[in-house]
Amino acid sequence: EPEVTQTPSHQVTQMGQEVILRCVPISNHLYFYWYRQILGQKVEFLVSFYNNEISEKSEIFDDQFSVERPDGSNFTLKIRSTKLEDSAMYFCASSPDKEYQPQHFGDGTRLSIL
Amino acid sequence: RKEVEQDPGPFNVPEGATVAFNCTYSNSASQSFFWYRQDCRKEPKLLMSVYSSGNEDGRFTAQLNRASQYISLLIRDSKLSDSATYLCVVILSGGSQGNLIFGKGTKLSVKP
């Protein structure tokens, strides 16, 4: 069964450093998403991406965050200057050609900011 | 008011028990509904979509009541492997590009 893959599985970064989280969505999917989950809290939407542009973003997704699809397969989340409160699990998800379809999640990147 | 509310549990049940989870959502513009399960420190995994007519997948039955803005999940003959956190998830219509809105989840622990 096709999967969403994410790398790295765990990233440890000093506060203030830039970090890039990588995702390879399922190949025939067209909608891509990033979510985060702070330990012990619910999964929160960050941003959705369709047709090579951001469709929607949440209040969490401020100017420190950016997304990119640099080639036909990768989908990246960049945090420009990390803060302690950015420590969380970051999940990438993708869904097929129509919105409102169930989304398939990667196994996440655990980001730890020191 | 929280967008998606769930009883956090934990629900501790013996193997073979039937257990029901409830969920309410606040936005009547909610378009699509799902149950996901999440194991500790893992990604959410789709369990099933929820349709107005109700739907069943093996031991799992999901119901949706749009008038009451209420979703339920019933697990029959629970197994040890059902132990997880069950997430109620909705998608809004009208301008939303399909981002999922998650409840905090209900933790289920099935004991031998």
Side-chain angles (χ1 to χ4, degrees), chain A residues 49-81:
Chain A
F49 193 87
Y50 171 70
N51 200 26
N52 285 319
E53 60 183 22
I54 290 175
S55 304
E56 190 172 357
K57 57 185 181 180
S58 71
E59 293 173 351
I60 304 167
F61 195 89
D62 62 21
D63 293 344
Q64 297 297 319
F65 290 86
S66 62
V67 289
E68 197 176 35
R69 189 157 160 82
D71 53 43
S73 59
N74 290 286
F75 178 50
T76 62
L77 174 69
K78 182 192 289 186
I79 309 175
R80 190 155 50 91
S81 178

mmCIF file of all heavy atoms in Angstrom, chain A residues 49-81:
data_model
loop_
_atom_site.group_PDB
_atom_site.id
_atom_site.type_symbol
_atom_site.label_atom_id
_atom_site.label_comp_id
_atom_site.label_asym_id
_atom_site.label_seq_id
_atom_site.Cartn_x
_atom_site.Cartn_y
_atom_site.Cartn_z
ATOM 1 N N PHE A 49 -1.730 22.680 0.810
ATOM 2 C CA PHE A 49 -0.988 23.052 -0.409
ATOM 3 C C PHE A 49 -1.608 22.310 -1.572
ATOM 4 O O PHE A 49 -1.811 21.084 -1.513
ATOM 5 C CB PHE A 49 0.467 22.628 -0.208
ATOM 6 C CG PHE A 49 1.454 23.175 -1.198
ATOM 7 C CD1 PHE A 49 2.034 24.409 -0.980
ATOM 8 C CD2 PHE A 49 1.831 22.438 -2.306
ATOM 9 C CE1 PHE A 49 2.980 24.914 -1.873
ATOM 10 C CE2 PHE A 49 2.761 22.933 -3.197
ATOM 11 C CZ PHE A 49 3.349 24.170 -2.985
ATOM 12 N N TYR A 50 -1.919 23.057 -2.613
ATOM 13 C CA TYR A 50 -2.537 22.455 -3.804
ATOM 14 C C TYR A 50 -2.127 23.256 -5.016
ATOM 15 O O TYR A 50 -2.074 24.496 -4.971
ATOM 16 C CB TYR A 50 -4.064 22.436 -3.658
ATOM 17 C CG TYR A 50 -4.798 22.039 -4.917
ATOM 18 C CD1 TYR A 50 -4.742 20.733 -5.380
ATOM 19 C CD2 TYR A 50 -5.534 22.967 -5.637
ATOM 20 C CE1 TYR A 50 -5.401 20.356 -6.536
ATOM 21 C CE2 TYR A 50 -6.192 22.605 -6.800
ATOM 22 C CZ TYR A 50 -6.125 21.298 -7.242
ATOM 23 O OH TYR A 50 -6.774 20.932 -8.386
ATOM 24 N N ASN A 51 -1.818 22.566 -6.077
ATOM 25 C CA ASN A 51 -1.487 23.227 -7.342
ATOM 26 C C ASN A 51 -0.327 24.211 -7.155
ATOM 27 O O ASN A 51 -0.355 25.344 -7.669
ATOM 28 C CB ASN A 51 -2.733 23.936 -7.891
ATOM 29 C CG ASN A 51 -2.640 24.227 -9.363
ATOM 30 O OD1 ASN A 51 -1.936 23.543 -10.105
ATOM 31 N ND2 ASN A 51 -3.354 25.250 -9.808
ATOM 32 N N ASN A 52 0.652 23.765 -6.382
ATOM 33 C CA ASN A 52 1.892 24.522 -6.165
ATOM 34 C C ASN A 52 1.721 25.834 -5.416
ATOM 35 O O ASN A 52 2.552 26.746 -5.572
ATOM 36 C CB ASN A 52 2.614 24.785 -7.488
ATOM 37 C CG ASN A 52 3.311 23.539 -8.006
ATOM 38 O OD1 ASN A 52 3.915 22.799 -7.223
ATOM 39 N ND2 ASN A 52 3.202 23.302 -9.285
ATOM 40 N N GLU A 53 0.678 25.930 -4.619
ATOM 41 C CA GLU A 53 0.558 27.105 -3.777
ATOM 42 C C GLU A 53 -0.200 26.774 -2.506
ATOM 43 O O GLU A 53 -0.924 25.784 -2.444
ATOM 44 C CB GLU A 53 -0.107 28.258 -4.525
ATOM 45 C CG GLU A 53 -1.500 27.963 -5.024
ATOM 46 C CD GLU A 53 -2.071 29.135 -5.818
ATOM 47 O OE1 GLU A 53 -1.275 29.961 -6.315
ATOM 48 O OE2 GLU A 53 -3.293 29.215 -5.926
ATOM 49 N N ILE A 54 -0.003 27.622 -1.507
ATOM 50 C CA ILE A 54 -0.709 27.436 -0.245
ATOM 51 C C ILE A 54 -2.194 27.702 -0.466
ATOM 52 O O ILE A 54 -2.584 28.726 -1.033
ATOM 53 C CB ILE A 54 -0.144 28.375 0.833
ATOM 54 C CG1 ILE A 54 1.269 27.932 1.230
ATOM 55 C CG2 ILE A 54 -1.055 28.410 2.054
ATOM 56 C CD1 ILE A 54 1.965 28.876 2.202
ATOM 57 N N SER A 55 -3.021 26.761 -0.017
ATOM 58 C CA SER A 55 -4.466 26.921 -0.102
ATOM 59 C C SER A 55 -5.010 27.602 1.138
ATOM 60 O O SER A 55 -5.886 28.449 1.067
ATOM 61 C CB SER A 55 -5.136 25.557 -0.228
ATOM 62 O OG SER A 55 -4.634 24.844 -1.318
ATOM 63 N N GLU A 56 -4.493 27.171 2.267
ATOM 64 C CA GLU A 56 -4.996 27.675 3.532
ATOM 65 C C GLU A 56 -3.912 27.494 4.582
ATOM 66 O O GLU A 56 -3.098 26.584 4.484
ATOM 67 C CB GLU A 56 -6.252 26.882 3.942
ATOM 68 C CG GLU A 56 -7.006 27.467 5.107
ATOM 69 C CD GLU A 56 -8.335 26.762 5.347
ATOM 70 O OE1 GLU A 56 -8.685 25.854 4.571
ATOM 71 O OE2 GLU A 56 -9.019 27.129 6.309
ATOM 72 N N LYS A 57 -3.882 28.389 5.547
ATOM 73 C CA LYS A 57 -2.942 28.242 6.648
ATOM 74 C C LYS A 57 -3.599 28.676 7.949
ATOM 75 O O LYS A 57 -4.509 29.499 7.950
ATOM 76 C CB LYS A 57 -1.665 29.049 6.396
ATOM 77 C CG LYS A 57 -1.897 30.516 6.154
ATOM 78 C CD LYS A 57 -0.580 31.205 5.788
ATOM 79 C CE LYS A 57 -0.820 32.693 5.557
ATOM 80 N NZ LYS A 57 0.443 33.400 5.196
ATOM 81 N N SER A 58 -3.116 28.106 9.043
ATOM 82 C CA SER A 58 -3.685 28.430 10.342
ATOM 83 C C SER A 58 -2.903 29.575 10.977
ATOM 84 O O SER A 58 -1.884 30.032 10.447
ATOM 85 C CB SER A 58 -3.641 27.197 11.248
ATOM 86 O OG SER A 58 -2.309 26.921 11.630
ATOM 87 N N GLU A 59 -3.400 29.990 12.127
ATOM 88 C CA GLU A 59 -2.725 31.070 12.867
ATOM 89 C C GLU A 59 -1.325 30.653 13.307
ATOM 90 O O GLU A 59 -0.453 31.496 13.516
ATOM 91 C CB GLU A 59 -3.552 31.423 14.110
ATOM 92 C CG GLU A 59 -4.899 32.046 13.790
ATOM 93 C CD GLU A 59 -5.741 32.228 15.033
ATOM 94 O OE1 GLU A 59 -5.363 31.716 16.111
ATOM 95 O OE2 GLU A 59 -6.786 32.883 14.935
ATOM 96 N N ILE A 60 -1.129 29.356 13.473
ATOM 97 C CA ILE A 60 0.185 28.864 13.893
ATOM 98 C C ILE A 60 1.229 29.123 12.806
ATOM 99 O O ILE A 60 2.388 29.416 13.089
ATOM 100 C CB ILE A 60 0.128 27.347 14.190
ATOM 101 C CG1 ILE A 60 -0.948 27.030 15.231
ATOM 102 C CG2 ILE A 60 1.479 26.827 14.629
ATOM 103 C CD1 ILE A 60 -1.264 25.559 15.339
ATOM 104 N N PHE A 61 0.803 29.028 11.586
ATOM 105 C CA PHE A 61 1.698 29.123 10.433
ATOM 106 C C PHE A 61 2.031 30.588 10.193
ATOM 107 O O PHE A 61 1.472 31.241 9.304
ATOM 108 C CB PHE A 61 1.028 28.497 9.211
ATOM 109 C CG PHE A 61 1.964 28.214 8.074
ATOM 110 C CD1 PHE A 61 2.634 27.010 7.995
ATOM 111 C CD2 PHE A 61 2.154 29.142 7.061
ATOM 112 C CE1 PHE A 61 3.490 26.735 6.932
ATOM 113 C CE2 PHE A 61 3.002 28.883 6.004
ATOM 114 C CZ PHE A 61 3.671 27.682 5.930
ATOM 115 N N ASP A 62 2.973 31.108 10.986
ATOM 116 C CA ASP A 62 3.337 32.524 10.840
ATOM 117 C C ASP A 62 4.514 32.672 9.878
ATOM 118 O O ASP A 62 4.868 31.738 9.160
ATOM 119 C CB ASP A 62 3.629 33.127 12.224
ATOM 120 C CG ASP A 62 4.816 32.446 12.915
ATOM 121 O OD1 ASP A 62 5.647 31.825 12.237
ATOM 122 O OD2 ASP A 62 4.886 32.541 14.160
ATOM 123 N N ASP A 63 5.114 33.851 9.869
ATOM 124 C CA ASP A 63 6.174 34.158 8.891
ATOM 125 C C ASP A 63 7.420 33.295 9.065
ATOM 126 O O ASP A 63 8.286 33.295 8.185
ATOM 127 C CB ASP A 63 6.559 35.632 8.989
ATOM 128 C CG ASP A 63 5.440 36.534 8.535
ATOM 129 O OD1 ASP A 63 4.513 36.031 7.867
ATOM 130 O OD2 ASP A 63 5.476 37.739 8.845
ATOM 131 N N GLN A 64 7.541 32.620 10.204
ATOM 132 C CA GLN A 64 8.686 31.740 10.416
ATOM 133 C C GLN A 64 8.570 30.440 9.618
ATOM 134 O O GLN A 64 9.542 29.719 9.462
ATOM 135 C CB GLN A 64 8.815 31.401 11.908
ATOM 136 C CG GLN A 64 9.084 32.593 12.790
ATOM 137 C CD GLN A 64 10.402 33.261 12.460
ATOM 138 O OE1 GLN A 64 11.408 32.609 12.201
ATOM 139 N NE2 GLN A 64 10.405 34.583 12.454
ATOM 140 N N PHE A 65 7.371 30.151 9.159
ATOM 141 C CA PHE A 65 7.119 28.894 8.463
ATOM 142 C C PHE A 65 7.004 29.129 6.956
ATOM 143 O O PHE A 65 6.507 30.165 6.513
ATOM 144 C CB PHE A 65 5.791 28.273 8.943
ATOM 145 C CG PHE A 65 5.813 27.746 10.345
ATOM 146 C CD1 PHE A 65 5.546 28.579 11.423
ATOM 147 C CD2 PHE A 65 6.087 26.412 10.598
ATOM 148 C CE1 PHE A 65 5.555 28.089 12.722
ATOM 149 C CE2 PHE A 65 6.086 25.907 11.891
ATOM 150 C CZ PHE A 65 5.826 26.750 12.959
ATOM 151 N N SER A 66 7.461 28.148 6.192
ATOM 152 C CA SER A 66 7.216 28.173 4.756
ATOM 153 C C SER A 66 7.154 26.735 4.258
ATOM 154 O O SER A 66 7.669 25.823 4.906
ATOM 155 C CB SER A 66 8.304 28.955 4.014
ATOM 156 O OG SER A 66 9.563 28.343 4.196
ATOM 157 N N VAL A 67 6.472 26.551 3.148
ATOM 158 C CA VAL A 67 6.399 25.238 2.525
ATOM 159 C C VAL A 67 6.812 25.361 1.072
ATOM 160 O O VAL A 67 6.691 26.426 0.460
ATOM 161 C CB VAL A 67 4.993 24.604 2.614
ATOM 162 C CG1 VAL A 67 4.661 24.185 4.029
ATOM 163 C CG2 VAL A 67 3.925 25.542 2.062
ATOM 164 N N GLU A 68 7.261 24.229 0.548
ATOM 165 C CA GLU A 68 7.752 24.230 -0.820
ATOM 166 C C GLU A 68 7.606 22.835 -1.393
ATOM 167 O O GLU A 68 7.681 21.836 -0.667
ATOM 168 C CB GLU A 68 9.236 24.634 -0.814
ATOM 169 C CG GLU A 68 9.774 25.061 -2.146
ATOM 170 C CD GLU A 68 11.214 25.538 -2.030
ATOM 171 O OE1 GLU A 68 11.974 24.983 -1.218
ATOM 172 O OE2 GLU A 68 11.582 26.467 -2.757
ATOM 173 N N ARG A 69 7.380 22.805 -2.698
ATOM 174 C CA ARG A 69 7.407 21.526 -3.390
ATOM 175 C C ARG A 69 8.484 21.684 -4.462
ATOM 176 O O ARG A 69 8.188 22.060 -5.597
ATOM 177 C CB ARG A 69 6.054 21.228 -3.992
ATOM 178 C CG ARG A 69 5.915 19.842 -4.555
ATOM 179 C CD ARG A 69 4.459 19.453 -4.605
ATOM 180 N NE ARG A 69 4.198 18.351 -5.533
ATOM 181 C CZ ARG A 69 4.382 17.075 -5.237
ATOM 182 N NH1 ARG A 69 4.847 16.725 -4.068
ATOM 183 N NH2 ARG A 69 4.092 16.141 -6.122
ATOM 184 N N PRO A 70 9.739 21.447 -4.100
ATOM 185 C CA PRO A 70 10.856 21.796 -4.974
ATOM 186 C C PRO A 70 10.957 20.943 -6.234
ATOM 187 O O PRO A 70 11.550 21.371 -7.218
ATOM 188 C CB PRO A 70 12.080 21.588 -4.067
ATOM 189 C CG PRO A 70 11.634 20.610 -3.033
ATOM 190 C CD PRO A 70 10.183 20.869 -2.823
ATOM 191 N N ASP A 71 10.362 19.747 -6.194
ATOM 192 C CA ASP A 71 10.378 18.888 -7.376
ATOM 193 C C ASP A 71 9.055 18.136 -7.409
ATOM 194 O O ASP A 71 8.143 18.487 -6.688
ATOM 195 C CB ASP A 71 11.589 17.952 -7.342
ATOM 196 C CG ASP A 71 11.668 17.175 -6.030
ATOM 197 O OD1 ASP A 71 10.604 16.686 -5.565
ATOM 198 O OD2 ASP A 71 12.751 17.067 -5.446
ATOM 199 N N GLY A 72 8.966 17.117 -8.244
ATOM 200 C CA GLY A 72 7.673 16.448 -8.375
ATOM 201 C C GLY A 72 7.303 15.526 -7.260
ATOM 202 O O GLY A 72 6.188 15.015 -7.221
ATOM 203 N N SER A 73 8.224 15.324 -6.292
ATOM 204 C CA SER A 73 7.912 14.338 -5.269
ATOM 205 C C SER A 73 7.998 14.884 -3.847
ATOM 206 O O SER A 73 7.177 14.529 -3.008
ATOM 207 C CB SER A 73 8.837 13.126 -5.402
ATOM 208 O OG SER A 73 10.187 13.506 -5.277
ATOM 209 N N ASN A 74 8.948 15.766 -3.562
ATOM 210 C CA ASN A 74 9.129 16.212 -2.180
ATOM 211 C C ASN A 74 8.224 17.381 -1.826
ATOM 212 O O ASN A 74 7.877 18.214 -2.665
ATOM 213 C CB ASN A 74 10.592 16.631 -1.960
ATOM 214 C CG ASN A 74 11.522 15.450 -1.981
ATOM 215 O OD1 ASN A 74 11.564 14.681 -1.043
ATOM 216 N ND2 ASN A 74 12.255 15.295 -3.074
ATOM 217 N N PHE A 75 7.863 17.424 -0.553
ATOM 218 C CA PHE A 75 7.068 18.526 -0.010
ATOM 219 C C PHE A 75 7.719 18.869 1.328
ATOM 220 O O PHE A 75 7.835 18.008 2.198
ATOM 221 C CB PHE A 75 5.622 18.058 0.167
ATOM 222 C CG PHE A 75 4.675 19.059 0.761
ATOM 223 C CD1 PHE A 75 4.595 20.351 0.270
ATOM 224 C CD2 PHE A 75 3.837 18.700 1.812
ATOM 225 C CE1 PHE A 75 3.714 21.267 0.806
ATOM 226 C CE2 PHE A 75 2.943 19.609 2.358
ATOM 227 C CZ PHE A 75 2.887 20.896 1.855
ATOM 228 N N THR A 76 8.220 20.103 1.459
ATOM 229 C CA THR A 76 9.011 20.439 2.637
ATOM 230 C C THR A 76 8.346 21.507 3.483
ATOM 231 O O THR A 76 7.598 22.364 2.981
ATOM 232 C CB THR A 76 10.410 20.926 2.237
ATOM 233 O OG1 THR A 76 10.284 22.115 1.449
ATOM 234 C CG2 THR A 76 11.161 19.881 1.443
ATOM 235 N N LEU A 77 8.628 21.441 4.774
ATOM 236 C CA LEU A 77 8.236 22.468 5.733
ATOM 237 C C LEU A 77 9.510 23.056 6.316
ATOM 238 O O LEU A 77 10.339 22.320 6.846
ATOM 239 C CB LEU A 77 7.376 21.873 6.843
ATOM 240 C CG LEU A 77 6.999 22.818 7.997
ATOM 241 C CD1 LEU A 77 6.026 23.894 7.533
ATOM 242 C CD2 LEU A 77 6.385 22.033 9.167
ATOM 243 N N LYS A 78 9.675 24.352 6.200
ATOM 244 C CA LYS A 78 10.838 25.029 6.753
ATOM 245 C C LYS A 78 10.398 25.922 7.907
ATOM 246 O O LYS A 78 9.411 26.666 7.791
ATOM 247 C CB LYS A 78 11.531 25.879 5.689
ATOM 248 C CG LYS A 78 12.790 26.580 6.197
ATOM 249 C CD LYS A 78 13.293 27.640 5.231
ATOM 250 C CE LYS A 78 13.877 27.063 3.983
ATOM 251 N NZ LYS A 78 14.497 28.097 3.117
ATOM 252 N N ILE A 79 11.145 25.832 8.994
ATOM 253 C CA ILE A 79 10.967 26.764 10.105
ATOM 254 C C ILE A 79 12.238 27.586 10.156
ATOM 255 O O ILE A 79 13.338 27.044 10.353
ATOM 256 C CB ILE A 79 10.720 26.047 11.446
ATOM 257 C CG1 ILE A 79 9.587 25.018 11.304
ATOM 258 C CG2 ILE A 79 10.365 27.067 12.529
ATOM 259 C CD1 ILE A 79 9.361 24.172 12.557
ATOM 260 N N ARG A 80 12.105 28.878 9.971
ATOM 261 C CA ARG A 80 13.277 29.721 9.721
ATOM 262 C C ARG A 80 14.125 29.929 10.969
ATOM 263 O O ARG A 80 15.318 29.789 10.931
ATOM 264 C CB ARG A 80 12.817 31.065 9.159
ATOM 265 C CG ARG A 80 13.930 31.938 8.631
ATOM 266 C CD ARG A 80 13.410 32.912 7.583
ATOM 267 N NE ARG A 80 12.221 33.643 8.022
ATOM 268 C CZ ARG A 80 12.269 34.804 8.647
ATOM 269 N NH1 ARG A 80 13.406 35.368 8.932
ATOM 270 N NH2 ARG A 80 11.152 35.414 8.999
ATOM 271 N N SER A 81 13.529 30.262 12.054
ATOM 272 C CA SER A 81 14.252 30.528 13.295
ATOM 273 C C SER A 81 13.479 29.859 14.417
ATOM 274 O O SER A 81 12.502 30.408 14.934
ATOM 275 C CB SER A 81 14.367 32.034 13.531
ATOM 276 O OG SER A 81 15.027 32.291 14.754
#
